[in-house]
Amino acid sequence: MAALWLSAGILQELLGDHVINTEDGEGNDIPEIIAGIILKSVGTGWTKPEKEVKPCIDKKRNNTYQIMEVKIVLGHTFGDEGKGVTVQWLCKKAIEEGKKPLVIRFSGGPQAAHTIFNGGTEHICSSFGSGVLLGVSTLLTKEVFIDPICLTNELKVLREKGIEPKLFITGNRIITPYDVLAGRNNSKVLSDGTCGKGIYPTFEKYSHSPWKNHFFGLKDAELMLKYSADYYKMERIPEYDEMFKKACLEMLTEVYDSIVVTSDYDVLIFEGSQGLLLDMDNGFYPNVTPSKVGLNGLLGYDILDKAEVYLVTRTYTTRHGNGYEPKEPCPFDLSKKHETNVTNEFQGDFKTGALEIGLLNSAYERHCIDNYVKKYNMSLNLVVTHMDVIDGAFKVVHSAGCDSYLKGCRITDYNKCINMIEKHLCYKPDHVYYNDSVESNIKQIR
């Protein structure tokens, strides 16, 4: 079981500027976490959580902290692998064990599209974590991009499905309509690849004044609109301004009013965005996203020690957007399979192909995952989703001009397919799991 002692300093990193300073009774500043994931504050001191847990003392601060499990879900290649299904499964597992999970988004933004299905309800998670259908709260760390219009639209959709989500936000980079327009009219952004959500322009904007020197909150909607329009030298569009202001106000009332100091989350599930080969530092440049989507995005939080890492892949290669082209045709008939990725104006066609083990190995090596595993004593797991599409044949491309082809393969031949994948991986997972339906029914195969 992966666990850690989550200190106030770690939470300061996770939550950014949204903390309130108090004291521990000895003159030491301790952040009282607004989005609250660990201790309940009583007066000017800190006490153990109401729930009985094994205590640990942080000698530097002389405070008591709660033990928590840490699980990290990452897309193995270009996104669309099944991270949402995996996160929802981990949430279900925690709940069944009598534990309270929290899903933490630490990268990306509203371009995420993690499809989950539970009890007859389907949802595509964009700004919310993939535990939302189970009533699991979401925390967006300061690295996550937020578009108030997208977020409130998704909030409305969830409520129409009978879901009242719990969302905690921090000092995030906020996308305005002018960032979206700037990206959709930038030839380099369009050439490198975009979802048309304004992520890259926002990333660039926040590296310039006044954005890099001033924290803009949702209450600063007018200032954000003014500075953004000025930054791109655009005329203000009243209709867009009104939509943005209305969304910011709704977030202030619908999100901020619900934030309380809590004490008893047992499992922290970090939900990655996109895939390792789209990472801003280690991906296939220039077709990358302006986020650190791998373990590099969690450095500095001191939560990696003994964490459980889940690398997720489909049984075939996918690529949505400019850049990499699958080497060989997909061996499956996907025409009648449930797929939420569709052709769109900015990403083009959703491309598929035979599973390329070289891409999995490249992602592992580019991100130096072996170093993380050894340094932090992590467990490394492989999750293979979309096993239900295997019917008649299974094919993996494992090196230049070489492949393995399993003829007559039926959807029940899971062991044979997993063995084909593992045989050519450059690493050996501690455990391997598979999923074979739209539900999060992930099972361990070894």
Side-chain angles (χ1 to χ4, degrees), residues 315 332 337 384 386-394 406 409-414 417:
T315 48
F332 314 128
K337 298 298 180 180
V384 182
H386 296 73
M387 292 292 289
D388 55 311
V389 305
I390 299 172
D391 192 6
F394 179 60
L406 188 61
C409 180
R410 313 313 300 175
I411 60 174
T412 54
D413 291 335
Y414 296 148
C417 300

Side-chain angles (χ1 to χ4, degrees), residues 182-196 287 322 345-346:
R184 294 180 178 185
N185 290 281
N186 185 306
S187 59
K188 177 171 171 42
V189 170
L190 294 172
S191 174
D192 291 346
T194 179
C195 295
N287 309 116
N322 295 351
E345 178 183 356
F346 300 102

Side-chain angles (χ1 to χ4, degrees), residues 87-362:
V87 167
Q88 183 173 256
W89 165 65
L90 290 171
C91 289
K92 281 184 177 181
K93 187 178 177 185
I95 293 169
E96 289 170 357
E97 293 172 355
K99 299 171 183 175
K100 186 176 181 181
L102 174 70
V103 174
I104 302 176
R105 290 273 308 276
F106 65 94
S107 63
Q111 83 274 46
H114 299 177
T115 304
I116 51 176
F117 191 94
N118 182 67
T121 300
E122 181 183 76
H123 183 69
I124 300 176
C125 296
S126 177
S127 298
F128 290 83
S130 294
V132 67
L133 295 184
L134 304 175
V136 176
S137 301
T138 301
L139 168 63
L140 306 181
T141 71
K142 57 189 176 70
E143 288 82 9
V144 176
F145 296 86
I146 289 180
D147 183 333
I149 297 173
C150 289
L151 194 151
T152 52
N153 284 341
E154 185 177 358
L155 179 63
K156 179 181 178 181
V157 169
L158 284 165
R159 286 175 169 169
E160 289 173 350
K161 296 174 181 178
I163 306 297
E164 188 62 41
K166 299 175 184 177
L167 177 69
F168 305 141
I169 65 173
T170 60
N172 305 78
R173 292 169 287 191
I174 299 177
I175 301 169
T176 71
Y178 300 103
D179 301 308
V180 177
L181 290 173
R184 294 180 178 185
N185 290 281
N186 185 306
S187 59
K188 177 171 171 42
V189 170
L190 294 172
S191 174
D192 291 346
T194 179
C195 295
K197 298 289 188 177
I199 304 293
Y200 185 77
T202 305
F203 172 78
E204 281 287 290
K205 181 183 70 177
Y206 270 81
S207 65
H208 296 85
S209 293
W211 300 89
K212 68 177 181 179
N213 298 321
H214 180 75
F215 170 73
F216 290 95
L218 294 169
K219 66 182 184 303
D220 303 312
E222 172 58 31
L223 275 178
M224 285 190 284
L225 290 167
K226 179 184 183 305
Y227 286 144
S228 295
D230 290 348
Y231 178 77
Y232 299 116
K233 296 180 173 57
M234 292 181 181
E235 293 290 329
R236 296 281 293 272
I237 303 174
E239 180 183 359
Y240 290 169
D241 288 0
E242 183 62 28
M243 289 173 59
F244 183 77
K245 290 178 182 179
K246 181 180 178 181
C248 287
L249 180 61
E250 185 175 349
M251 285 186 64
L252 281 168
T253 56
E254 301 291 344
V255 178
Y256 275 23
D257 284 356
S258 67
I259 294 179
V260 295
V261 178
T262 58
S263 63
D264 58 349
Y265 288 102
D266 308 299
V267 184
L268 303 183
I269 302 171
F270 288 82
E271 180 173 3
S273 62
Q274 292 76 56
L276 295 178
L277 294 179
L278 294 177
D279 180 81
M280 63 185 293
D281 292 334
N282 305 302
F284 288 170
Y285 190 84
N287 309 116
V288 296
T289 188
S291 278
K292 296 181 179 181
V293 302
L295 297 174
N296 56 331
L298 293 170
L299 286 173
Y301 290 161
D302 196 21
I303 52 86
L304 297 178
D305 189 51
K306 295 184 175 63
E308 298 175 13
V309 178
Y310 296 82
L311 299 180
V312 188
T313 180
R314 293 196 189 196
T315 48
Y316 51 98
T317 297
T318 67
R319 181 69 175 98
H320 207 182
N322 295 351
Y324 192 84
E325 297 284 340
K327 290 182 177 178
E328 297 197 22
C330 184
F332 314 128
D333 178 10
L334 302 174
S335 61
K336 296 181 181 180
K337 298 298 180 180
H338 186 70
E339 179 58 67
T340 55
N341 286 282
V342 296
T343 298
N344 63 69
E345 178 183 356
F346 300 102
Q347 292 175 286
D349 293 333
F350 183 59
K351 298 171 286 191
T352 62
L355 182 63
E356 298 177 32
I357 305 299
L359 291 176
L360 306 184
N361 290 338
S362 181

